[in-house]
Amino acid sequence: MLNRNEKSEKMRRIYMDYAATTPVDSRAFEAMKPYFMTNFGNTMSLYSIGREAKRALEESREKVASLIRAKKNDIIFTGSATESNNLALKGFAFANKKKGKHIIISSIEHHCVLDSAHWLEKQGFEVTFLPVDKYGLIDPKQLEDHIRKDTILVSIMHANNEIGTIEPIKEIGKVCHDYDVCFHTDAAQSFGKIPIDVNKMNIDMLTANAHKMYGPKGVGTLFVRQGIKLDPLLHGGGHEFGLRSSTVNVAGIVGFGAVVDIAKKEMDSEAKRLSKLRDKLIEGILKIDNSYLNGHPTLRLPNNTNFWFAFIEGESLVLHLDMKGVAASTGSACSSESLEPSHVLMVIGLKPEQAHGSLRLTLGKQNKNADIDYVLEVLPRIVENLRKISPFKK
Ligand SMILES: Cc1ncc(COP(=O)(O)O)c(C=O)c1O
């Protein structure tokens, strides 16, 4: 007989919440190590360990820039995607307020964009929250109809963190440029997963981070096209071209550079592999009675699935899956402690009780075909058992 500890050791552990965060790639971890204790210098120092830190910083800047075909000096390192989005919205709004005070964002943005926009409203800016269709897609024509003479900035995410829908960024950027409006996109979920070319896609500012792509937490970037004026959020020593003062997190940035290098080599094959697993998971789960896919059937991230199940609560599903060793999420990671239904699911037309019955399974490097088979084996039984005791099912 196995004792309890042995049993839990034997239990299968499957991580399917890669949209929330990812484990650090061992190759990136190895690349980071020397920058904690040996090459620990400050990038602003003139002596050799400082110069080595500065060299590593600039090498990572080059790597990150080349992934999105940006110029090296248009890459600013920050502490997170949240910080990059705050800098893009607030920094741009304040530096350009003489040109106008109207901003447009989509209504399905991550909270760090939505809340920055709400904060700007309190500072006297006007914000239009663009609706999306039932799949979460923005209509570029509708965006055009909302652009005014005083519109200075449009911020629309590349791919949604909850439902995985990929927006028509190139067309959106084109509309912005036709009207001489700056276009920012939050690419935290797409960076390193699907190709991005800031020039071909008409992007002026772009947000990304390392921890969604097998890099460390606490490192982000904002691409800012040359010529765009931003007011910094942090004032001080003038790091990062004066846009983000504070001693640079060299080890983290080296880790970011390393995962970007890995993504350049592996992104295409990994996207193909994950798309197959995703489609198998979707097909299998939709065989469960009264289950529905959230988000677009094809214009979605290779690793994203999101469903709603009638008559049950997403939280119960997540807890029961956890008991079977599967880590999943309801809606988005950031709002999992909130009782409010996900704003994204509400905007695409779900009723609150439907949104509360949602489950997000997001795939990544460690997931294999057998993991999909396992989820397709345990999930239908969990759904069935929960429905038996559901007060919602008459
Ligand atoms: C689309 C999107 N934007 C921004 C963020 C915030 O990222 P960070 O954890 O680096 O602040 C996330 C993370 O959940 C995200 O999914």
Side-chain angles (χ1 to χ4, degrees), residues 280-314:
K280 177 173 168 173
L281 190 59
I282 292 177
E283 203 189 312
I285 290 185
L286 291 182
K287 286 188 185 145
I288 300 173
D289 276 353
N290 292 305
S291 67
Y292 307 89
L293 182 69
N294 295 320
H296 199 279
T298 54
L299 297 173
R300 72 186 305 138
L301 286 170
N303 72 330
N304 174 287
T305 71
N306 190 317
F307 308 88
W308 71 269
F309 299 86
F311 318 120
I312 38 183
E313 297 250 77

Side-chain angles (χ1 to χ4, degrees), residues 19-21 79-85 108-113 157-162 186-190 207-212 217-220 332-334 360:
T21 194
S80 63
T82 296
E83 187 189 326
S84 299
N85 284 337
I108 58 165
E109 294 299 312
H110 188 273
H111 275 291
C112 57
V113 171
M157 67 202 321
H158 188 193
N160 183 266
N161 46 303
E162 295 187 38
D186 175 359
Q189 292 289 340
S190 56
T207 289
N209 62 13
H211 80 91
K212 308 276 188 195
K217 294 171 182 56
V219 193
S332 80
C334 296
R360 183 183 73 174

Side-chain angles (χ1 to χ4, degrees), residues 197-357:
D197 180 324
V198 289
N199 302 314
K200 285 195 186 143
M201 291 164 80
N202 304 312
I203 298 167
D204 298 314
M205 293 196 282
L206 176 140
T207 289
N209 62 13
H211 80 91
K212 308 276 188 195
M213 54 175 299
Y214 310 96
K217 294 171 182 56
V219 193
T221 186
L222 183 66
F223 155 73
V224 186
R225 193 177 285 287
Q226 197 177 9
I228 289 175
K229 298 268 170 296
L230 294 184
D231 277 358
L233 301 179
L234 303 183
H235 299 91
H239 307 75
E240 297 301 285
F241 312 104
L243 283 173
R244 208 274 182 175
S245 288
S246 179
T247 304
V248 174
N249 172 7
V250 180
I253 290 169
V254 166
F256 198 1
V259 288
V260 162
D261 258 1
I262 295 167
K264 270 183 216 157
K265 291 184 208 120
E266 299 179 0
M267 180 169 75
D268 291 347
S269 56
E270 183 61 0
K272 274 195 200 114
R273 189 185 76 86
L274 288 178
S275 303
K276 274 193 199 145
L277 295 184
R278 174 199 66 190
D279 292 345
K280 177 173 168 173
L281 190 59
I282 292 177
E283 203 189 312
I285 290 185
L286 291 182
K287 286 188 185 145
I288 300 173
D289 276 353
N290 292 305
S291 67
Y292 307 89
L293 182 69
N294 295 320
H296 199 279
T298 54
L299 297 173
R300 72 186 305 138
L301 286 170
N303 72 330
N304 174 287
T305 71
N306 190 317
F307 308 88
W308 71 269
F309 299 86
F311 318 120
I312 38 183
E313 297 250 77
E315 278 79 9
S316 316
L317 274 176
V318 167
L319 292 176
H320 280 79
L321 278 170
D322 187 39
M323 286 190 262
K324 294 282 179 194
V326 181
S329 136
T330 76
S332 80
C334 296
S335 58
S336 65
E337 283 176 13
S338 156
L339 291 177
E340 290 295 308
S342 138
H343 67 285
V344 175
L345 298 179
M346 298 301 290
V347 172
I348 62 170
L350 267 63
K351 298 192 180 102
E353 64 274 21
Q354 296 172 335
H356 277 304

Side-chain angles (χ1 to χ4, degrees), residues 59-105:
E59 196 179 292
S60 290
R61 200 187 303 285
E62 180 82 59
K63 289 177 183 177
V64 170
S66 76
L67 182 68
I68 54 171
R69 312 243 169 217
K71 289 198 179 122
K72 175 176 170 267
N73 287 351
D74 291 352
I75 295 294
I76 295 153
F77 287 112
T78 65
S80 63
T82 296
E83 187 189 326
S84 299
N85 284 337
N86 272 263
L87 176 59
L89 268 80
K90 297 176 187 172
F92 188 88
F94 278 94
N96 295 278
K97 61 176 189 270
K98 283 200 185 119
K99 287 191 210 152
K101 288 188 135 191
H102 179 234
I103 292 165
I104 302 176
I105 71 168

